[in-house]
Amino acid sequence: MAATHRVSAVIFDLDGTLLDTERATRDVLKEFLGTYGEVPDAAKEEKRLGQMHRESTTGIIADYGLPITVEEYSEAIYPLYIKRWQRASPLPGVNRLLKHLYKNGVPLALASNSIRRNIDHKILKLGELKDCFSVVLGGDQVPHGKPCPDIFLEAAKRLGVNPSSCLVIEDSLVGVQAAKASGAKVVAVPSLQSQRHCYSIADLILYSLLDFHPELWGLPPFEDRIQGALAMEPLLSNAQIGDAVQNNTHTLIAVFATGECTYDSIPDQISGIFFGWAKSETYGVFKAVVSTGWDLSPGKFERVMHICFLDSHNKAKTEDSLELLLIGYIRKLQSSENISQAMSITDEDQATARDALDLPAFCEYAKTRGALDLPALPEYAEPRNGLLLA
């Protein structure tokens, strides 16, 4: 791909962009307001996404008529957030991108509307990757937070580059507005899919960082795909087989359950063609390709998932419960106004997944984790097309 823009540094937001803190803390406000007999208003809370701490807190106190000050609110709710932040993990594609940019010497900064004290707690969930950033800024370290451009102007200054040569990666609308006001280029990865139509001012809109192509911005390209497939951090989910779509492809129905393997473990940003294993209580473990996306047509707003079974045409039975372990990514969904057509799993997708699932590069996590009681990997492999395939 030819570069449409050339940048020399990249600035990341934190919450909802690098870490899945938005989902991890989704019930905190509900729990807190419940002690006052109040229930969160979804529309009002969506508008608060990405706001500065004091602005957000002041709005919450006013909207729900809470008989407390900003300081009292912050002191009371802070322990609840600390606990939930421990559940947050990097979003798909984050580890891969940070390692790649850092390895290639691209200056990196972190610029969040969160206060610096909170950033220092959250960033620990990035592990060693937190050291990739030469600049870390919180909203309390600049005169005005997003949507004002101050934090991105200051980040560029500390990186020693012109704001116009920076690429900002953001999930919130106020973050995108701030980045554009600073003169930077902006990639939006919305954390609220219902608001995707609001991000037209961004230079590019993605579903997840799995679809980020550095070369579009004059940055070194990725070279880690293996025969068209990309290894990724595993996603665990529970689901139920729905109606047949065609041949051995079925819809999937969400199953909300407790424990580690829950449908909620698939982030809202996830969209595209993935592959891994499915475990049925009746038939055991078998290879599968899963397409997932969002139906945003008028009057609808829901996640849609299809599963294609690679091992047999006879293992799919409606209403069977499944455990899913997705470990690889193939591509984004096709462009189409019809969600079912966009999510079609092609013969090429199936062939790519079938071959990849025999490769140690894609199996290693499942082998060591044993999440679905998978059979042991082959001891030997023979070369094919220059790669090792079992």
Side-chain angles (χ1 to χ4, degrees), residues 371-384:
L372 297 181
D373 299 322
L374 298 174
L377 296 180
E379 293 294 333
Y380 301 99
E382 52 189 53
R384 175 173 151 196

Side-chain angles (χ1 to χ4, degrees), residues 136-151:
V136 176
L137 281 174
D140 57 334
Q141 294 177 282
V142 292
H144 304 95
K146 308 169 189 177
C148 294
D150 300 26
I151 197 165

Side-chain angles (χ1 to χ4, degrees), residues 242-251 306-309 313 316 340-341 343-347 350:
D243 296 333
V245 178
Q246 59 180 12
N247 297 328
N248 56 331
T249 300
H250 287 246
T251 59
H306 292 171
I307 186 168
C308 176
F309 302 99
H313 293 278
S340 294
Q341 184 177 349
M343 292 176 58
S344 295
I345 298 171
T346 66
D347 291 342
Q350 296 180 47

Side-chain angles (χ1 to χ4, degrees), residues 89-374:
S89 57
L91 284 156
V94 166
N95 289 344
R96 175 196 185 214
L97 180 56
L98 289 180
K99 289 178 182 177
H100 175 76
L101 295 178
Y102 183 73
K103 177 183 176 181
N104 284 280
V106 179
L108 303 178
L110 182 64
S112 169
N113 253 3
S114 290
I115 60 178
R116 182 58 189 266
R117 177 185 67 169
N118 293 352
I119 292 175
D120 291 340
H121 279 290
K122 299 172 191 176
I123 202 173
L124 294 175
K125 297 299 293 183
L126 289 175
E128 294 181 355
L129 292 177
K130 69 181 185 302
D131 299 325
C132 293
F133 300 102
S134 55
V135 173
V136 176
L137 281 174
D140 57 334
Q141 294 177 282
V142 292
H144 304 95
K146 308 169 189 177
C148 294
D150 300 26
I151 197 165
F152 294 122
L153 294 174
E154 181 63 22
K157 178 181 177 181
R158 295 192 186 191
L159 287 172
V161 298
N162 191 292
S164 62
S165 66
C166 291
L167 174 67
V168 172
I169 301 181
E170 266 279 0
D171 77 297
S172 70
L173 185 57
V174 294
V176 171
Q177 292 169 338
K180 292 299 291 184
S182 75
K185 300 299 179 184
V186 190
V187 170
V189 191
S191 54
L192 291 177
Q193 303 311 312
S194 59
Q195 294 186 358
R196 291 186 70 83
H197 63 283
C198 300
Y199 286 76
S200 58
I201 64 171
D203 295 283
L204 182 65
I205 305 173
L206 303 176
Y207 271 101
S208 80
L209 290 178
L210 292 170
D211 290 322
F212 183 83
H213 293 281
E215 61 271 30
L216 288 178
W217 310 96
L219 299 170
F222 287 118
E223 296 179 348
D224 55 353
R225 279 188 174 263
I226 304 175
Q227 294 185 214
L230 173 65
M232 67 177 197
E233 292 81 5
L235 297 173
L236 297 167
S237 173
N238 283 342
Q240 186 180 74
I241 299 177
D243 296 333
V245 178
Q246 59 180 12
N247 297 328
N248 56 331
T249 300
H250 287 246
T251 59
L252 280 176
I253 302 170
V255 175
F256 295 93
T258 58
E260 186 178 14
C261 296
T262 67
Y263 188 85
D264 279 340
S265 65
I266 293 184
D268 294 349
Q269 291 91 329
I270 282 295
S271 174
I273 308 295
F274 299 82
F275 61 87
W277 286 273
K279 180 181 180 181
S280 162
E281 293 181 3
T282 306
Y283 299 106
V285 178
F286 43 91
K287 299 174 181 177
V289 181
V290 172
S291 62
T292 181
W294 288 89
D295 187 350
L296 302 178
S297 57
K300 282 193 174 183
F301 172 60
E302 60 184 11
R303 180 182 283 286
V304 182
M305 298 181 73
H306 292 171
I307 186 168
C308 176
F309 302 99
L310 299 178
D311 295 338
S312 169
H313 293 278
N314 302 316
K315 287 185 175 178
K317 184 179 179 181
T318 302
E319 297 186 0
D320 265 3
S321 295
L322 295 177
E323 291 178 47
L324 299 177
L325 174 64
L326 304 181
I327 62 164
Y329 178 63
I330 298 177
R331 61 175 176 84
K332 63 181 181 181
L333 298 183
Q334 300 170 356
S335 297
S336 174
E337 294 183 1
N338 183 292
I339 184 64
S340 294
Q341 184 177 349
M343 292 176 58
S344 295
I345 298 171
T346 66
D347 291 342
E348 184 178 356
D349 294 331
Q350 296 180 47
T352 298
R354 188 176 285 109
D355 284 347
L357 286 169
D358 286 332
L359 285 168
F362 291 92
C363 296
E364 191 59 33
Y365 175 86
K367 178 182 178 182
T368 57
R369 175 73 167 71
L372 297 181
D373 299 322
L374 298 174

